[in-house]
Amino acid sequence: MKILIADDEFYARKALAKKVIQANSEVEIMGDFENGVQVVEYLEAHPGEIDVVLTDVKMPEMDGLYLAQYIFEQELPMEVIIISGYNEFEYAKKAISFGVSNYLVKPVQKEELKEALDKINRGWKRYEATMQEIMVKRTLKFLSIEEMVSHEEWKRRFLEPVFAQNEGKGFYLVIIQSQKKEDWMENPAAERLLRKLKKAFLGEWFYFNRFQEHILLLFGKQKDIMEALQTFVHRANILGLGEITVGMSLEHTQSGHCPKAYQEAVYALNQRLIDGWNQVYLFSADFKPENLLDKEREHLLEEFICAKQFVQAKHLTREILHTCKNAYTLYVTISSIFNLLYRCFCETSENNQHIAHGYMLFSYRTDLYRYHNLTEVEDYVLNIIRTMCEDQEEKKYHYIVSEILVYVAQNYQENISIGELAEHKYFMNSSYLSRLFKNETGQTFSAYLMEFRMRKAKELLESDLLKISDVAMLSGYRDVSRFIQYFKKIYGVTPDEYRGRK
């Protein structure tokens, strides 16, 4: 704690400096002055250096109250302690209006001075703890469970403390989704409910922005946690927080099991597409997913698509999807439909060499996970089938560009390209999709992706908890030097310089 002292009496200044050191041996007296003008000159010459100013009220040229007013109006980051020989209410009242930390009456007692300095220290600690919590919360929203587990520093900082506290106990990973996502991000009522759950089961709570999901690690008995989650859903509805769905994993024992537990919770949560919202879904280990696209239906659907008979293909697809009884079967069946679409796409395109190593950009997380009900999923699948059945050059598929923008927002950290999206997600000509994207957005896909990543990088740089290499990785760049080059090209400064300014 660096301190300045102001008093027009020489011996009074020296005596006060001695008492300050006796009250707190860790402080450093940076100077003592006769009046407020000298203090202001020092503060202007040494910006950001001083933590506390102890000043007498009665001084020539600029007294203590005017000095306090100057510090208050300039919004200088320091505390002021007023010392006066006048035990008068008006002095104290005016001092308080200028944000003065304490008002001490001469002769100052060492105990009073110690309490005043300790009060400042306590305030700093509370502020630092609050800022640290805000910084951690801001940092976590850009991460994911998988990234935290695979990164030793983040794992140690964010995960290990809760596992150390519950050593030997099993945990359940819980995902909570709300249809009113925007109301959940900063909703005090939702936060109170989540903190109550966390506290009841000695767990941890994370919010990940990319998928707008609240994740809880809860330690306890499955039955007790299920009952608490059902009460949580009921309370959320009463409080007007919208429809809630909860997905819960099986029991796990180690922090390294978090990615598997997360996958189980997502699969459980996807059951809302079949059975609706306002429920708690527990992952089932003994499920047997079926592929409802049997050989007969597959052959028939292929005939309809190749003959560009969309109406018939639509009716058959709906019939297949409506027979799905669980989310696992739904995922496997849609994946099979997309495999069929990819095969048809390769057979009708000029270059069919992709057939041997085709793969689907269809995920239980980035596709099924982001839809609210089965109708939305059906529309998603049918829109893609429509692109296979209709002449691309005659139609404007605005919905595909919207889909791509959402896909980028959730997958910008991955290595994605318009060519891959065209061939492995929308089954259409990549040149056409490139033109479509540019017509709709005014940018090429690569330019849009780079700008999106750079915007995310700017947000990430606001957290001092992340290294520049971490920011690069979380923005989608494995090559740090290339990331720095792109950042400077767009913003005119390096990431380090930008962070310094912030």
Side-chain angles (χ1 to χ4, degrees), residues 42-56:
Y42 185 94
L43 295 176
E44 289 176 348
H46 304 82
E49 180 185 286
I50 299 304
D51 300 311
V52 179
V53 172
L54 277 84
T55 178
D56 188 24

Side-chain angles (χ1 to χ4, degrees), residues 208-222:
F208 299 125
N209 187 56
R210 218 180 336 155
F211 296 96
Q212 296 182 318
E213 61 192 5
H214 291 274
I215 291 182
L216 291 155
L217 300 177
L218 304 179
F219 296 79
K221 295 180 180 178
Q222 184 188 98

Side-chain angles (χ1 to χ4, degrees), residues 404 433-441 443-445 448:
I404 290 174
L433 185 56
S434 296
R435 293 199 305 275
L436 179 65
F437 188 89
K438 188 170 183 181
N439 288 341
E440 292 294 320
T441 64
Q443 289 180 291
T444 63
F445 177 80
Y448 175 83

Side-chain angles (χ1 to χ4, degrees), residues 341-357:
L341 294 177
Y342 182 74
R343 191 167 69 246
C344 293
F345 167 72
C346 290
E347 288 172 355
T348 56
S349 65
E350 294 178 3
N351 184 0
N352 61 7
Q353 64 180 355
H354 305 288
I355 295 176
H357 56 88

